[in-house]
Amino acid sequence: MKNQKKISFPSNLHGHTTYCDGKNRAEEYILAAIEKNFVSVGLSGHSYVYFDKEPNMSLEGTLKYIEELKILKEKYKDKIQVYIGIEADFYSGFNPKLDKNLGLDYRIGSVHYVKDKVKDKYYCVDNTPEILAYAIENYDNGDEKSLICAYYDNIIEMIHTQKPDILGHLDLVRKFNGDGKYFDENSEWYNKKVDEVLGEISKTDAIVEINTGGISRGWTKTPYPSAFILKKILSKNIPITLSSDAHSVENIDYYFKESVELVKEIGFKSLKIMKNAKFEDFEI
């Protein structure tokens, strides 16, 4: 970096533009990252899924998004490293071959939905509290445990069949679970399921994202995943990175300083950063 201004973490790979449900254009994110002396910045529009078009990119929009980022990557190459990403939902079916064909530099794999066991219906776990309540009431005869486990089963299948580079907001199902409204995060069954998921992640090269988006939007008081899960992640030597899941440029590094301090207290020594077209360790 030309300017040696001290920053807590010099990158963000999880940001959403006007191509999906973000408020700013891609170039505005890049300019904000330059202003903050970031080493790198990536955009990661929500992938197309046929059953929920409002928050996601269209098929045509996806191609325009990628083409614009290619232009911006070249335009700002002397000021910052720009990377082309996508946040691919489990039900969008992305894979490494498609990543290469589209010219993506990385992919964040996320689960936002659970499909009904019988009907061709998808329940969203993070849209609104009311939509989650509807999902819990209607999935598997109102069995919230079954819905939560199905969410984590989708993550397990995703990491093995779709092989994302980064796992987005691992415990997103707790977004509206303040004060244990829907399930007990300390319960034996929940911890057992989390252990199962982490065991499968540890068999892959996937990086787990620390995501501050729940805090910036006022739904959680701590990043995803919860601190107790981060401790388990450390014990299994699973790599982590830090992202803000920004839907507006002012949140490009939201709660980064506090998150870095949190993981240092837990015992992490580094986070992954995308630099020179690969993931490298950034010491904290």
Side-chain angles (χ1 to χ4, degrees):
M1 290 186 294
K2 295 178 182 179
N3 190 329
Q4 294 301 312
K5 179 181 176 182
K6 179 69 174 177
I7 51 178
S8 55
F9 187 69
S11 180
N12 183 39
L13 297 177
H14 196 159
H16 299 290
T17 71
T18 50
Y19 281 101
C20 53
D21 58 350
K23 296 179 180 178
N24 295 96
R25 295 177 292 107
E27 189 165 17
E28 293 178 284
Y29 278 97
I30 294 168
L31 292 172
I34 292 171
E35 177 66 23
K36 290 181 178 292
N37 295 300
F38 274 17
V39 170
S40 62
V41 63
L43 280 302
S44 53
H46 285 294
S47 64
Y48 171 82
V49 290
Y50 79 90
F51 54 82
D52 192 3
K53 297 179 181 179
E54 183 179 351
N56 303 310
M57 295 190 292
S58 65
L59 290 174
E60 180 182 7
T62 301
L63 298 178
K64 290 181 178 178
Y65 158 81
I66 292 171
E67 285 307 308
E68 181 181 355
L69 284 182
K70 288 178 180 177
I71 293 170
L72 293 172
K73 186 175 187 176
E74 178 65 21
K75 180 178 178 179
Y76 290 102
K77 66 180 182 181
D78 294 330
K79 295 184 177 180
I80 193 170
Q81 296 182 25
V82 176
Y83 293 106
I84 305 169
I86 199 164
E87 183 181 9
D89 183 78
F90 169 66
Y91 289 108
S92 65
F94 270 67
N95 57 67
K97 183 177 180 180
L98 180 58
D99 296 345
K100 184 176 181 180
N101 289 341
L102 289 174
L104 299 178
D105 294 310
Y106 68 96
R107 172 166 39 97
I108 300 172
S110 297
V111 173
H112 300 94
Y113 312 92
V114 173
K115 187 178 181 181
D116 191 272
K117 286 189 172 184
V118 179
K119 298 172 288 186
D120 186 28
K121 186 176 182 63
Y122 297 82
Y123 301 102
C124 187
V125 302
D126 73 314
N127 192 311
T128 67
E130 294 77 17
I131 289 175
L132 177 63
Y134 175 82
I136 289 174
E137 181 181 349
N138 288 274
Y139 183 83
D140 200 12
N141 298 312
D143 184 350
E144 69 272 11
K145 177 180 174 181
S146 180
L147 178 73
I148 302 305
C149 288
Y151 166 86
Y152 281 117
D153 285 339
N154 280 354
I155 291 178
I156 291 173
E157 183 175 346
M158 179 179 67
I159 61 177
H160 289 305
T161 63
Q162 300 176 8
K163 303 183 186 306
D165 301 292
I166 300 170
L167 296 178
H169 39 58
L170 188 66
D171 58 348
L172 184 64
V173 284
R174 73 173 174 90
K175 179 176 180 178
F176 305 124
N177 195 47
D179 299 321
K181 183 176 181 179
Y182 296 110
F183 64 96
D184 181 5
E185 291 185 59
N186 296 313
S187 64
E188 182 179 355
W189 71 264
Y190 184 74
N191 273 263
K192 184 177 180 181
K193 194 66 186 178
V194 168
D195 286 340
E196 179 187 354
V197 174
L198 296 182
E200 294 304 313
I201 294 172
S202 68
K203 299 175 185 177
T204 74
D205 295 325
I207 300 167
V208 171
E209 170 199 65
I210 300 169
N211 181 309
T212 65
I215 311 173
S216 64
R217 288 186 279 284
W219 291 113
T220 67
K221 295 180 180 179
T222 59
Y224 307 112
S226 295
F228 82 91
I229 297 179
L230 285 170
K231 292 176 182 177
K232 293 173 182 284
I233 288 171
L234 177 63
S235 71
K236 293 183 179 296
N237 296 312
I238 297 170
I240 58 172
T241 189
L242 176 58
S243 301
S244 68
D245 199 347
H247 285 66
S248 57
V249 292
E250 61 264 26
N251 290 331
I252 195 169
D253 60 349
Y254 188 89
Y255 211 75
F256 271 22
K257 181 179 179 181
E258 296 88 344
S259 297
V260 169
E261 290 304 313
L262 170 65
V263 297
K264 285 173 67 175
E265 288 177 10
I266 288 172
F268 288 94
K269 303 299 183 185
S270 65
L271 297 104
K272 291 293 183 180
I273 183 174
M274 184 158 254
K275 184 179 178 182
N276 301 324
K278 61 182 179 180
F279 287 102
E280 297 182 357
D281 288 324
F282 177 82
E283 294 185 7
I284 55 176

